[in-house]
Amino acid sequence: MPIRIADTLPARRTLEAEGVIVMSESEAARQDIRPLRIALLNLMPDKITTETQIARLLGATPLQIELELVRLSGHVSKTTSAGHLSEFYRPFHDVADERFDGLIVTGAPVETMDYGDVTYWEELSRIFAWSQSHCHRLLTICWGAMAALQHFHGVPKHALGAKAHGVFDHDNRRPSSPWLRGLSDVVPVPVSRWSEIRREDLPPQLTLLLDSVEVGPCLIDDPAHKALHMLNHLEYDTLTLDTEYRRDGERVLPRHYYPGDDPAQLPRNTWRTHGHQLFGNWINEVYQTTPFDLAQIGQEA
């Protein structure tokens, strides 16, 4: 089944060119199906790229998805046009009384800052608390995952001396987990961060699913909060790490990324199938367990 997004959203043209089935509002209304309502709180500066990456993975699943783009109410983005935000994004205060089958919270370029120094930390904390009563499942990514682990469990983040940047192999520690169904024993994952979460700081109620000898924890199951925390970037496009490398003045060469570590060579995508599988597993789990009546979300036993 297709993903349901606005007809004029820039991501639509990209996804249609890739063969992802995208549904119009009128087509969706003709189907006697309740779509899964997924909210995307997009904290990334390049919102168009991020919304395209997430929509691509959600659109590849076999269920009809209604994607709601959400922005912070009290923070004004300086890197995405006001017109784009006004047309396609709803501020959080506009959706606070609604319920969603799933909420995805992205990363943000603030990971070197203390949480309390982030201007929107108070609002983000309210959103995490709200997700427990208004969203059936929560998926957090990169800094969004670090922030959620701090909010729910007090897990600290630690600054790295050098940026963790590249594609790193991660051990599949729980192949029987529904989140890892179909993933290989070793999963290559793009990594791009200046901070880390350490294994020894994780409380026992959390389950470490993907882990790397080189760059540490990657995927963490948080059943008490109906949450899955992804510290890295299976949603990345083939050239995202390359774009970051050029943007940052070619200071930190992404490891295990360019053939022969030669940035003149075109990278090969080794993580695409794992990204699709993980998001497919998450959507399937949401579909299997969410109430049919949206009003019942947050009241599950």
Side-chain angles (χ1 to χ4, degrees), residues 86-209:
S86 175
E87 183 173 1
F88 300 114
Y89 281 77
R90 297 173 65 190
F92 171 67
H93 63 68
D94 274 8
V95 304
D97 291 332
E98 299 180 17
R99 283 174 164 75
F100 295 88
D101 299 291
L103 169 67
I104 301 173
V105 179
T106 73
V110 294
E111 60 177 296
T112 60
M113 301 172 61
D114 290 338
Y115 292 118
D117 293 336
V118 176
T119 57
Y120 49 80
W121 178 250
E122 184 178 338
E123 182 177 6
L124 182 59
S125 296
R126 291 199 304 270
I127 292 172
F128 283 140
W130 167 86
S131 74
Q132 299 304 286
S133 58
H134 287 71
C135 303
H136 179 63
R137 295 285 183 185
L138 172 65
L139 173 62
T140 61
I141 299 172
C142 199
W143 182 82
M146 295 181 184
L149 288 167
Q150 167 64 28
H151 171 83
F152 290 123
H153 300 282
V155 176
K157 63 181 174 68
H158 301 272
L160 294 170
K163 186 177 185 180
H165 200 213
V167 180
F168 296 88
D169 284 346
H170 289 74
D171 294 325
N172 182 341
R173 295 182 54 162
R174 296 292 179 107
S176 61
S177 167
W179 310 117
L180 297 181
R181 189 180 296 114
L183 272 72
S184 302
D185 292 340
V186 177
V187 180
V189 184
V191 177
S192 179
R193 48 183 166 79
W194 288 93
S195 301
E196 67 177 357
I197 296 295
R198 295 176 180 169
R199 301 175 193 90
E200 58 267 29
D201 292 329
L202 298 177
Q205 62 266 36
L206 299 177
T207 301
L208 183 54
L209 302 177

Side-chain angles (χ1 to χ4, degrees), residues 64 71 129 150 180 233 237-239 275 296:
Q64 186 185 132
R71 61 177 174 84
Q150 167 64 28
L180 297 181
H233 291 285
D237 297 324
T238 302
L239 294 179
Q296 296 300 311

Side-chain angles (χ1 to χ4, degrees), residues 3 19 37 68 94 105 173 176 187 214 229 299:
I3 186 168
R37 295 198 73 208
E68 188 75 66
D94 274 8
V105 179
R173 295 182 54 162
S176 61
V187 180
E214 293 183 89
H229 307 298
Q299 303 179 33

